Amino acid sequence: MNKSQLENIYKEAHALLEGHFLLSSGNHSTHYLQSAKVLENPQVASQLGDALAAQIKAAGIQADTICSPALGGILAGYELARSLGVRFIFTERVDGQMQLRRGFNIESGERVIVCEDIITTGGSALESARCVEFLGAKVVAYAGLANRGFCVRMDSGSRVSGANPKQKKPECRLPDSLPLFALGDFEFEMYAPEECPLCAQNHSKATKPGSRGNG
C-alpha cells in the first residue's frame, strides 16, 4: 500500500478532516485524521492491518504481542496482532498514568510492538512502551496506520541508505534506537495556539474531534 492509496481510504471514509482543530498536544492544525471512521469498516481495517504487518515481516521484526494505548490505538493494534498471529493487549490511562489492567500480564523478555492509529509525536505510544517495559517486556518496534511526519518511519529513509534521509523533528518523542512502521506520512501544518493563523485571521475556535475529547 502506498501513500496515495492510504490517503484515498481516509478520504472515502470522510476521515481526512479540514478545519481548525485542537490536538492532544495542545497545538492547533488545519487537518485531522479521524481513524475511527476508517476502522469502522472491518474489511478496510483488515486490509490496513495486513499491509502494516507486511512491512514488519519484511523487516524481520519478531514480536510476541502487540500493545496499544487506549482508546484510539485499540482497533489498529488488534488488526495488526491478528495479521501477525500474535497476542493483543492494551494500556489505558488511569489518573493520568498509563496502566496495564483487565487481567493482562507481561512475561519477562516478551517482545512487544506498540501500535497506534496515528503517530503524531509518539507520546502515548512511548507511555505504553514504558508501562510494559516496567513489567519486563522488551519493546522491539513502534507502528501506526499513519504518521504525522514528526517521527520518521522505517521505509521513508531513516534507517535505509539514501542521499537525503529524512530527519525527525524536535517534537518526536520516540527513540532513535527502534524502528517505526507506518503506511504513509501525512505532513500537515501544526501551530502553537498563540501562533495559530486560523485563530488570528478567522477568530474561530479550535474543535476537539479526538477520542479523549482533546484531539
Side-chain angles (χ1 to χ4, degrees), residues 67 90-92 97-101 106 125-137 139:
C67 178
F90 61 87
T91 62
E92 51 194 307
Q97 298 292 324
M98 280 294 187
Q99 296 183 20
L100 196 65
R101 305 175 68 205
I106 289 289
L126 184 61
E127 287 183 71
S128 288
R130 288 173 173 168
C131 176
V132 295
E133 285 175 337
F134 178 79
L135 298 172
V139 174

Side-chain angles (χ1 to χ4, degrees), residues 53-194:
Q55 285 190 11
I56 292 168
K57 291 175 183 177
I61 300 293
Q62 300 291 323
D64 304 303
T65 299
I66 306 300
C67 178
S68 293
L71 180 65
I74 288 180
L75 290 178
Y78 184 88
E79 282 300 326
L80 177 59
R82 175 200 55 76
S83 188
L84 290 175
V86 300
R87 186 169 73 114
F88 173 73
I89 60 176
F90 61 87
T91 62
E92 51 194 307
R93 203 177 301 278
V94 180
D95 296 328
Q97 298 292 324
M98 280 294 187
Q99 296 183 20
L100 196 65
R101 305 175 68 205
R102 304 178 190 274
F104 293 140
N105 56 49
I106 289 289
E107 299 292 334
S108 179
E110 190 169 346
R111 297 168 297 182
V112 172
I113 295 174
V114 177
C115 181
E116 270 274 33
D117 56 345
I118 306 296
I119 295 289
T120 304
T121 64
S124 293
L126 184 61
E127 287 183 71
S128 288
R130 288 173 173 168
C131 176
V132 295
E133 285 175 337
F134 178 79
L135 298 172
K138 179 182 180 182
V139 174
V140 296
Y142 293 90
L145 300 182
N147 177 39
R148 282 291 304 270
F150 297 100
C151 304
V152 184
R153 58 192 174 92
M154 179 75 172
D155 62 346
S156 62
S158 59
R159 297 173 178 86
V160 296
S161 59
N164 295 298
K166 291 180 64 176
Q167 298 295 319
K168 75 174 187 180
K169 297 180 181 179
E171 294 89 346
C172 179
R173 298 178 59 189
L174 298 183
D176 293 329
S177 57
L178 294 176
L180 166 64
F181 297 91
L183 300 177
D185 293 321
F186 288 85
E187 299 189 48
F188 306 132
E189 291 292 337
M190 189 175 76
Y191 309 98
E194 64 274 13

Side-chain angles (χ1 to χ4, degrees), residues 16-21 29-32 198 202 204-207:
L16 178 52
L17 310 181
E18 295 186 33
H20 185 189
F21 302 107
S29 178
T30 57
H31 291 78
Y32 190 88
L198 297 176
N202 303 328
S204 64
K205 184 176 179 181
T207 59

